[in-house]
mmCIF file of all heavy atoms in Angstrom:
data_model
loop_
_atom_site.group_PDB
_atom_site.id
_atom_site.type_symbol
_atom_site.label_atom_id
_atom_site.label_comp_id
_atom_site.label_asym_id
_atom_site.label_seq_id
_atom_site.Cartn_x
_atom_site.Cartn_y
_atom_site.Cartn_z
ATOM 1 N N VAL A 5 97.569 83.802 81.219
ATOM 2 C CA VAL A 5 98.283 82.549 81.062
ATOM 3 C C VAL A 5 97.603 81.479 81.893
ATOM 4 O O VAL A 5 97.504 81.607 83.113
ATOM 5 C CB VAL A 5 99.757 82.687 81.477
ATOM 6 C CG1 VAL A 5 100.476 81.345 81.311
ATOM 7 C CG2 VAL A 5 100.442 83.757 80.640
ATOM 8 N N GLU A 6 97.144 80.421 81.221
ATOM 9 C CA GLU A 6 96.458 79.323 81.882
ATOM 10 C C GLU A 6 97.426 78.183 82.169
ATOM 11 O O GLU A 6 98.395 77.976 81.438
ATOM 12 C CB GLU A 6 95.312 78.800 81.010
ATOM 13 C CG GLU A 6 94.280 79.847 80.635
ATOM 14 C CD GLU A 6 94.245 80.112 79.154
ATOM 15 O OE1 GLU A 6 95.317 80.019 78.504
ATOM 16 O OE2 GLU A 6 93.150 80.407 78.626
ATOM 17 N N SER A 7 97.106 77.424 83.195
ATOM 18 C CA SER A 7 97.886 76.244 83.527
ATOM 19 C C SER A 7 96.997 75.247 84.239
ATOM 20 O O SER A 7 95.954 75.604 84.788
ATOM 21 C CB SER A 7 99.097 76.599 84.396
ATOM 22 O OG SER A 7 98.693 77.141 85.638
ATOM 23 N N GLY A 8 97.419 73.980 84.224
ATOM 24 C CA GLY A 8 96.725 72.960 84.989
ATOM 25 C C GLY A 8 95.904 71.964 84.202
ATOM 26 O O GLY A 8 95.317 71.060 84.783
ATOM 27 N N GLY A 9 95.829 72.114 82.900
ATOM 28 C CA GLY A 9 95.056 71.184 82.098
ATOM 29 C C GLY A 9 95.737 69.837 81.977
ATOM 30 O O GLY A 9 96.869 69.640 82.415
ATOM 31 N N GLY A 10 95.018 68.904 81.370
ATOM 32 C CA GLY A 10 95.579 67.586 81.175
ATOM 33 C C GLY A 10 94.519 66.522 81.051
ATOM 34 O O GLY A 10 93.352 66.802 80.785
ATOM 35 N N LEU A 11 94.942 65.293 81.253
ATOM 36 C CA LEU A 11 94.070 64.125 81.150
ATOM 37 C C LEU A 11 93.665 63.657 82.536
ATOM 38 O O LEU A 11 94.511 63.533 83.426
ATOM 39 C CB LEU A 11 94.785 62.997 80.409
ATOM 40 C CG LEU A 11 94.062 61.654 80.310
ATOM 41 C CD1 LEU A 11 92.797 61.794 79.464
ATOM 42 C CD2 LEU A 11 94.989 60.607 79.728
ATOM 43 N N VAL A 12 92.387 63.381 82.697
ATOM 44 C CA VAL A 12 91.877 62.910 83.973
ATOM 45 C C VAL A 12 90.788 61.875 83.728
ATOM 46 O O VAL A 12 90.088 61.920 82.709
ATOM 47 C CB VAL A 12 91.343 64.089 84.824
ATOM 48 C CG1 VAL A 12 90.127 64.731 84.166
ATOM 49 C CG2 VAL A 12 91.022 63.639 86.237
ATOM 50 N N GLN A 13 90.655 60.942 84.648
ATOM 51 C CA GLN A 13 89.635 59.909 84.537
ATOM 52 C C GLN A 13 88.266 60.444 84.941
ATOM 53 O O GLN A 13 88.164 61.362 85.755
ATOM 54 C CB GLN A 13 89.997 58.714 85.418
ATOM 55 C CG GLN A 13 91.315 58.043 85.073
ATOM 56 C CD GLN A 13 91.276 57.382 83.714
ATOM 57 O OE1 GLN A 13 90.305 56.702 83.372
ATOM 58 N NE2 GLN A 13 92.327 57.562 82.939
ATOM 59 N N PRO A 14 87.198 59.889 84.378
ATOM 60 C CA PRO A 14 85.859 60.278 84.834
ATOM 61 C C PRO A 14 85.726 60.113 86.337
ATOM 62 O O PRO A 14 86.173 59.118 86.904
ATOM 63 C CB PRO A 14 84.938 59.325 84.075
ATOM 64 C CG PRO A 14 85.703 58.979 82.839
ATOM 65 C CD PRO A 14 87.147 58.910 83.281
ATOM 66 N N GLY A 15 85.119 61.106 86.964
ATOM 67 C CA GLY A 15 84.990 61.116 88.407
ATOM 68 C C GLY A 15 86.160 61.754 89.124
ATOM 69 O O GLY A 15 86.082 61.986 90.340
ATOM 70 N N GLY A 16 87.206 62.046 88.396
ATOM 71 C CA GLY A 16 88.387 62.640 88.989
ATOM 72 C C GLY A 16 88.283 64.144 89.108
ATOM 73 O O GLY A 16 87.252 64.749 88.800
ATOM 74 N N SER A 17 89.369 64.743 89.553
ATOM 75 C CA SER A 17 89.418 66.178 89.783
ATOM 76 C C SER A 17 90.610 66.795 89.075
ATOM 77 O O SER A 17 91.621 66.140 88.833
ATOM 78 C CB SER A 17 89.511 66.486 91.282
ATOM 79 O OG SER A 17 88.376 66.015 91.977
ATOM 80 N N LEU A 18 90.477 68.066 88.785
ATOM 81 C CA LEU A 18 91.534 68.813 88.130
ATOM 82 C C LEU A 18 91.377 70.282 88.484
ATOM 83 O O LEU A 18 90.251 70.778 88.585
ATOM 84 C CB LEU A 18 91.475 68.627 86.616
ATOM 85 C CG LEU A 18 92.718 68.954 85.788
ATOM 86 C CD1 LEU A 18 93.857 68.002 86.142
ATOM 87 C CD2 LEU A 18 92.400 68.852 84.305
ATOM 88 N N GLY A 19 92.484 70.964 88.663
ATOM 89 C CA GLY A 19 92.454 72.383 88.957
ATOM 90 C C GLY A 19 93.106 73.194 87.858
ATOM 91 O O GLY A 19 94.175 72.837 87.360
ATOM 92 N N LEU A 20 92.455 74.274 87.476
ATOM 93 C CA LEU A 20 92.982 75.186 86.473
ATOM 94 C C LEU A 20 93.328 76.513 87.126
ATOM 95 O O LEU A 20 92.652 76.960 88.054
ATOM 96 C CB LEU A 20 91.973 75.432 85.351
ATOM 97 C CG LEU A 20 91.463 74.218 84.580
ATOM 98 C CD1 LEU A 20 90.494 74.665 83.490
ATOM 99 C CD2 LEU A 20 92.611 73.425 83.985
ATOM 100 N N SER A 21 94.358 77.143 86.625
ATOM 101 C CA SER A 21 94.783 78.433 87.129
ATOM 102 C C SER A 21 95.022 79.381 85.974
ATOM 103 O O SER A 21 95.482 78.972 84.907
ATOM 104 C CB SER A 21 96.061 78.291 87.969
ATOM 105 O OG SER A 21 96.520 79.546 88.417
ATOM 106 N N CYS A 22 94.706 80.637 86.178
ATOM 107 C CA CYS A 22 94.923 81.661 85.166
ATOM 108 C C CYS A 22 95.430 82.918 85.844
ATOM 109 O O CYS A 22 94.792 83.422 86.779
ATOM 110 C CB CYS A 22 93.630 81.948 84.401
ATOM 111 S SG CYS A 22 93.720 83.355 83.283
ATOM 112 N N ALA A 23 96.537 83.419 85.363
ATOM 113 C CA ALA A 23 97.132 84.621 85.919
ATOM 114 C C ALA A 23 97.199 85.720 84.872
ATOM 115 O O ALA A 23 97.659 85.489 83.753
ATOM 116 C CB ALA A 23 98.526 84.328 86.459
ATOM 117 N N ALA A 24 96.736 86.890 85.229
ATOM 118 C CA ALA A 24 96.817 88.052 84.361
ATOM 119 C C ALA A 24 98.087 88.822 84.664
ATOM 120 O O ALA A 24 98.425 89.050 85.828
ATOM 121 C CB ALA A 24 95.602 88.957 84.550
ATOM 122 N N SER A 25 98.773 89.205 83.614
ATOM 123 C CA SER A 25 100.006 89.957 83.776
ATOM 124 C C SER A 25 99.939 91.250 82.978
ATOM 125 O O SER A 25 99.192 91.367 82.009
ATOM 126 C CB SER A 25 101.217 89.130 83.336
ATOM 127 O OG SER A 25 101.147 88.829 81.949
ATOM 128 N N GLY A 26 100.744 92.207 83.374
ATOM 129 C CA GLY A 26 100.771 93.506 82.735
ATOM 130 C C GLY A 26 100.497 94.608 83.735
ATOM 131 O O GLY A 26 100.382 94.370 84.935
ATOM 132 N N SER A 27 100.401 95.813 83.227
ATOM 133 C CA SER A 27 100.102 96.960 84.074
ATOM 134 C C SER A 27 98.594 97.056 84.244
ATOM 135 O O SER A 27 97.884 97.603 83.400
ATOM 136 C CB SER A 27 100.661 98.238 83.455
ATOM 137 O OG SER A 27 102.072 98.175 83.328
#
Side-chain angles (χ1 to χ4, degrees):
V5 180
E6 303 115 327
S7 63
L11 175 65
V12 65
Q13 300 294 315
S17 298
L18 199 65
L20 303 181
S21 177
C22 172
S25 64
S27 299

